[in-house]
C-alpha cells in the first residue's frame, strides 16, 4: 500500500505537470484565436409552451486551425484566469449584437430575443457599462431584445456596486437572467436584491428529474419561486419528453435543450427562423 501510495503520488505529480503544460499551450493558442478569426457564435433556440421559437442563447465555439473544436467549458476558465475573457467577451457581445441586428432587419419574429453569456470577470470590470453601451450604440440594436445571462459568480464584495451596475443595465433596456440558478451559494440573496427578470433552471436539476425525486423537487421549487416573484423561468438541458411534461406541469413555459434543438451556426438558425414564421 505504501509503494502504491508513492507511485500514486508520482503519477499525480506527472498529471499535474501535463495539466499545467496543456493549460499553458491553450493560453498561447487562445491569444492567437481572436486575430486568427477562430471563434464563432452558435445559437440555441429557446422554445415556448406552444413550440414557437421565442429567442436563442448565443454560445461561443472555438475552431482551431486543425479543425478541432474546443468546448467553452474548457477554454472559458482559462480565458478568465488570463484576462483574455475581456477581449473575447467583447467580441462575443459585438458579434451577437451584429447578428441580432440582421435578424431584426430581416423582420422574422418581432419579439425574438437573444441571450448573451457574460462572465463575472467581465461584468466586474469598471468599464463594463461603457463597453457594452458603446457596442450597443455601434450596432444600432435595441437593448430591449437582449438578455444578459450572469452567474452567481458575480462579485458580492461590493453588492451595492453590483446592484447599481445592474440597474444601469436595465435602465438601458437589457434584461438580466440568473444562469445556472441553484448551483451557487447565495441564490436567495441575489433573488431579493438584484433587478432580475429571469431564472434559468440549471441543467443539473433537469437531467435526472424524471428519476431523481430531489432533483424533481428542486426544479419544481425554483419554478414556483420564480413565478411567485414574477420572474420568467427557462429550463435548460431539456432532452426528454418526460422532462418537458414535468416542467410544463409545474408552470415552466420556456425551454432550451436537445429535445428541441442543439446549438447551431447562425446560418442554420436563419433557416429555422424563416421556417418558423412561414406557417
Ligand atoms: P451555459 O451557459 O449553462 O450553457 C448551456 C450549455 O448546455 C451549453 O453548453 C449548451 O450547448 C448545453 N446544452 C444545451 N442543451 C443541452 C441539452 O439538452 N443537453 C445537454 N447535455 N447540454 C445541453 P456549451 O455551449 O458547451 O457551453 C458551456 C458553458 O460555457 C456555458 O454554459 C457557459 O457557461 C459558457 N459559455 C458559452 N458561451 C459563452 C460566452 O460567449 N461567454 C461566456 N462568458 N461563457 C460562455
Ligand atoms: Ca447561459
Ligand atoms: Ca446555464
Ligand atoms: Ca451551465
Amino acid at each position: 500500500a505504501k509503494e502504491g501510495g508513492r507511485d500514486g503520488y508520482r503519477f499525480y505529480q506527472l498529471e499535474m505537470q501535463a495539466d499545467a503544460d496543456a493549460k499553458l499551450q491553450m493560453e498561447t493558442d487562445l491569444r492567437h484565436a481572436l486575430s486568427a478569426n477562430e471563434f464563432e457564435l452558435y445559437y440555441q433556440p429557446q422554445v415556448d409552451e406552444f413550440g414557437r421559437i421565442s429567442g436563442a442563447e448565443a454560445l461561443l465555439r472555438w475552431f482551431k486551425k486543425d479543425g478541432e473544436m474546443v468546448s467553452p467549458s474548457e477554454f472559458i476558465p482559462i480565458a478568465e484566469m488570463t484576462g483574455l475573457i475581456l477581449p473575447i467577451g467583447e467580441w462575443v457581445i459585438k458579434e451577437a449584437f451584429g447578428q441580432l441586428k440582421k435578424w431584426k432587419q430581416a423582420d422574422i419574429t418581432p419579439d425574438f430575443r437573444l441571450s448573451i453569456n457574460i462572465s463575472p470577470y467581465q461584468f466586474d470590470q469598471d468599464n463594463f457599462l461603457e463597453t457594452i453601451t458603446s457596442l450597443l450604440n455601434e450596432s444600432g440594436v435595441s437593448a430591449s431584445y437582449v438578455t444578459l445571462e450572469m452567474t452567481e459568480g458575480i462579485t458580492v464584495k461590493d453588492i451595492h456596486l453590483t446592484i447599481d451596475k445592474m440597474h444601469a443595465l436595465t435602465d438601458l433596456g437589457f434584461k438580466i437572467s440568473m444562469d445556472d440558478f441553484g448551483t451557487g451559494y447565495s441564490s436567495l440573496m441575489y433573488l431579493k436584491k438584484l433587478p432580475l427578470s429571469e431564472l434559468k433552471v440549471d441543467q443539473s436539476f433537469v437531467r435526472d428529474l424524471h428519476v431523481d425525486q430531489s432533483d424533481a423537487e428542486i426544479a419544481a421549487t425554483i419554478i414556483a419561486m420564480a413565478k411567485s416573484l414574477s420572474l420568467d423561468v427557462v429550463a435548460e438541458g431539456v432532452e426528454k419528453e418526460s422532462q418537458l411534461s414535468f416542467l410544463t406541469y409545474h408552470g415552466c413555459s420556456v425551454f432550451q435543450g436537445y429535445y428541441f434543438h442543439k446549438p447551431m451556426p447562425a446560418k442554420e438558425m436563419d433557416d429555422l427562423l424563416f421556417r418558423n414564421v412561414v406557417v
Side-chain angles (χ1 to χ4, degrees):
K2 216 171 178 184
E3 266 322 282
R6 234 180 30 216
D7 283 354
Y9 180 66
R10 276 196 47 207
F11 180 70
Y12 180 67
Q13 275 190 314
L14 286 173
E15 260 204 332
M16 295 270 289
Q17 187 55 48
D19 218 43
D21 291 348
K23 276 185 186 144
L24 200 64
Q25 183 60 50
M26 188 180 279
E27 182 186 345
T28 311
D29 292 350
L30 262 181
R31 286 193 190 280
H32 293 290
L34 265 183
S35 52
N37 238 324
E38 294 178 350
F39 290 116
E40 187 177 344
L41 284 186
Y42 271 35
Y43 299 89
Q44 185 177 35
Q46 296 184 336
V47 173
D48 71 16
E49 70 241 77
F50 311 108
R52 223 184 42 118
I53 294 173
S54 56
E57 176 178 5
L59 293 160
L60 187 56
R61 295 291 177 263
W62 178 17
F63 295 97
K64 289 165 85 170
K65 277 274 122 53
D66 58 10
E68 186 202 350
M69 206 267 277
V70 191
S71 160
S73 38
E74 275 178 71
F75 70 80
I76 298 276
I78 291 175
E80 285 173 336
M81 259 155 45
T82 54
L84 287 167
I85 192 66
L86 298 179
I88 294 173
E90 225 176 290
W91 181 87
V92 167
I93 296 172
K94 191 180 168 134
E95 182 73 16
F97 284 175
Q99 185 57 61
L100 181 60
K101 179 76 183 173
K102 282 187 210 158
W103 282 330
K104 288 294 171 188
Q105 280 169 336
D107 200 26
I108 19 191
T109 26
D111 50 354
F112 180 86
R113 310 187 51 80
L114 190 60
S115 294
I116 304 174
N117 290 287
I118 303 294
S119 156
Y121 186 90
Q122 199 181 356
F123 175 81
D124 285 343
Q125 297 299 308
D126 288 339
N127 64 358
F128 178 69
L129 269 174
E130 279 165 64
T131 305
I132 200 163
T133 305
S134 67
L135 291 172
L136 186 71
N137 294 337
E138 278 166 34
S139 73
V141 84
S142 164
S144 62
Y145 298 116
V146 177
T147 300
L148 303 175
E149 293 193 6
M150 317 235 180
T151 62
E152 296 171 73
I154 48 164
T155 194
V156 287
K157 255 183 302 169
D158 192 344
I159 186 72
H160 296 291
L161 192 67
T162 296
I163 293 169
D164 287 351
K165 226 180 207 181
M166 284 202 179
H167 277 292
L169 289 170
T170 57
D171 286 349
L172 284 168
F174 292 110
K175 288 191 170 175
I176 299 175
S177 174
M178 190 53 66
D179 202 356
D180 302 342
F181 186 76
T183 60
Y185 52 85
S186 34
S187 318
L188 298 177
M189 192 271 287
Y190 280 122
L191 270 189
K192 207 177 118 186
K193 295 197 170 171
L194 303 180
L196 304 174
S197 16
E198 178 185 286
L199 297 184
K200 291 191 87 170
V201 182
D202 190 62
Q203 51 177 278
S204 62
F205 304 122
V206 174
R207 191 181 305 123
D208 298 321
L209 61 73
H210 53 304
V211 288
D212 183 316
Q213 181 64 22
S214 52
D215 282 350
E217 261 154 33
I218 291 168
T221 303
I222 293 174
I223 296 166
M225 194 158 59
K227 290 178 76 91
S228 71
L229 294 166
S230 302
L231 300 171
D232 296 329
V233 57
V234 179
E236 61 181 20
V238 179
E239 294 182 354
K240 296 183 172 72
E241 172 88 64
S242 55
Q243 297 165 335
L244 178 64
S245 53
F246 179 92
L247 293 160
T248 306
Y249 175 80
H250 286 277
C252 183
S253 53
V254 184
F255 313 93
Q256 211 185 316
Y258 299 168
Y259 180 76
F260 298 100
H261 304 280
K262 291 196 165 174
M264 61 187 84
K267 182 70 195 65
E268 265 177 56
M269 188 74 200
D270 268 355
D271 297 344
L272 200 64
L273 287 173
F274 280 108
R275 254 189 290 145
N276 199 45
V277 84
V278 187
V279 226

